[in-house]
Amino acid sequence: MLTYVYRITKYDHADRDEQGRYSGPEDTVSDHGEVEAACLHAVAAFAADTGVDHLAVREPQVPSLTHFGVEPAVAGFGLAELFPSGLAGFHDGVQVPLDSALELVRVMLRDNGAWCRLEAEGSFAVHVGWDQYLYISSSRPCEEALAVTRELGLFPERLDVSPYAFEAEEAEHQYIQRPADDDFWADLHRAVVAGQAGILEETYLEGASRWHHLTGDTLGPVRAGLAPRARIAVGHPCPPTSPPSSGPFPLTA
């Protein structure tokens, strides 16, 4: 867990009540202008103070059916220019340069639909919450970045932890999970040949998935074509008129 965690907002502390609720004039959506630019500048300042120039995308997601954002939906969730190869390029673990990470922060501030954590393991993290709340965590106190943030007219507050920090041990799984390693694919091949498995769901992005029909001949190409760190689930074959079965267990790859 990172030592220095700050909540950074455009909301003046003087306009909060005793419970911390804001009642001032600032809107809860991005201005697409000076305030948004100040937020991005603050993130860049903290990254510079920490000494990171690349961040990893973690737990990325897009809305699967309905856009619930305050602002109108944007084609491609605002990711088209950042990931020319499509949504498959926006996967867990992909490393992006700081400039691209800042554009992802912009996408989230504008509520374009895509969301992720941006992290440098052991040293830095940026999380975007509701109502333009930024949470920046660092292994360093970032005194210079704090001064820059205040000069930009933003309001940093020290916290113990980001509310969006991911704790793997707290995740609850309904089914047994295992890594999709060589042993898994050997077991799956036996299950396919025996007629006990025939469908594989590849969730390459939370909210986006692909289905693959499995045979002894297609297992190799399917495995080779999976997105990095996709989550996969195997199901039994089912009649064409029925939806794919949920399968006996989900597996990670």
Side-chain angles (χ1 to χ4, degrees):
M1 185 176 295
L2 296 175
T3 304
Y4 301 96
V5 182
Y6 304 97
R7 183 176 74 175
I8 297 173
T9 72
K10 59 184 177 181
Y11 307 117
D12 193 333
H13 306 322
D15 293 323
R16 294 185 183 274
D17 62 21
E18 293 180 354
Q19 286 73 45
R21 292 187 293 261
Y22 179 74
S23 59
E26 291 288 349
D27 202 342
T28 57
V29 298
S30 173
D31 68 342
H32 295 217
E34 291 184 4
V35 176
E36 179 184 89
C39 290
L40 299 182
H41 192 163
V43 174
F46 275 91
D49 250 12
T50 308
V52 300
D53 57 10
H54 280 71
L55 294 172
V57 170
R58 299 307 315 276
E59 292 82 46
Q61 55 189 262
V62 296
S64 56
L65 295 174
T66 305
H67 174 70
F68 292 104
V70 176
E71 298 196 32
V74 173
F77 310 108
L79 301 174
E81 293 185 4
L82 294 174
F83 299 95
S85 61
L87 288 181
F90 180 53
H91 63 77
D92 185 74
V94 64
Q95 293 278 338
V96 296
L98 182 59
D99 286 348
S100 295
L102 293 176
E103 288 306 312
L104 283 171
V105 172
R106 189 194 305 276
V107 165
M108 290 184 276
L109 288 173
R110 293 185 179 186
D111 206 10
N112 288 162
W115 188 88
C116 67
R117 298 174 179 86
L118 291 163
E119 303 182 350
E121 186 173 358
S123 61
F124 190 71
V126 180
H127 306 144
V128 180
W130 296 103
D131 299 337
Q132 307 286 291
Y133 278 64
L134 273 174
Y135 299 89
I136 299 180
S137 306
S138 177
S139 58
R140 302 178 185 178
C142 299
E143 296 294 344
E144 290 186 16
L146 284 169
V148 168
T149 299
R150 294 186 180 100
E151 289 173 2
L152 290 166
L154 301 176
F155 302 91
E157 305 167 75
R158 182 77 183 269
L159 300 178
D160 292 328
V161 65
S162 164
Y164 296 92
F166 179 71
E167 298 294 338
E169 65 271 17
E170 294 178 1
E172 296 182 358
H173 302 296
Q174 184 178 359
Y175 303 104
I176 298 171
Q177 289 195 325
R178 58 180 285 194
D181 52 17
D182 290 342
D183 289 340
F184 160 76
W185 288 98
D187 290 343
L188 181 56
H189 182 270
R190 286 190 286 271
V192 169
V193 171
Q196 298 173 338
I199 295 172
L200 183 146
E201 181 186 14
E202 173 197 3
T203 302
Y204 59 91
L205 176 62
E206 193 65 38
S209 61
R210 292 185 285 253
W211 292 89
H212 305 277
H213 177 63
L214 300 179
T215 68
D217 294 331
T218 62
L219 270 178
V222 167
R223 181 182 184 182
L226 292 175
R229 301 171 74 162
R231 187 174 71 248
I232 60 178
V234 176
H236 295 290
C238 55
T241 55
S242 303
S245 62
S246 60
F249 44 76
L251 307 124
T252 56

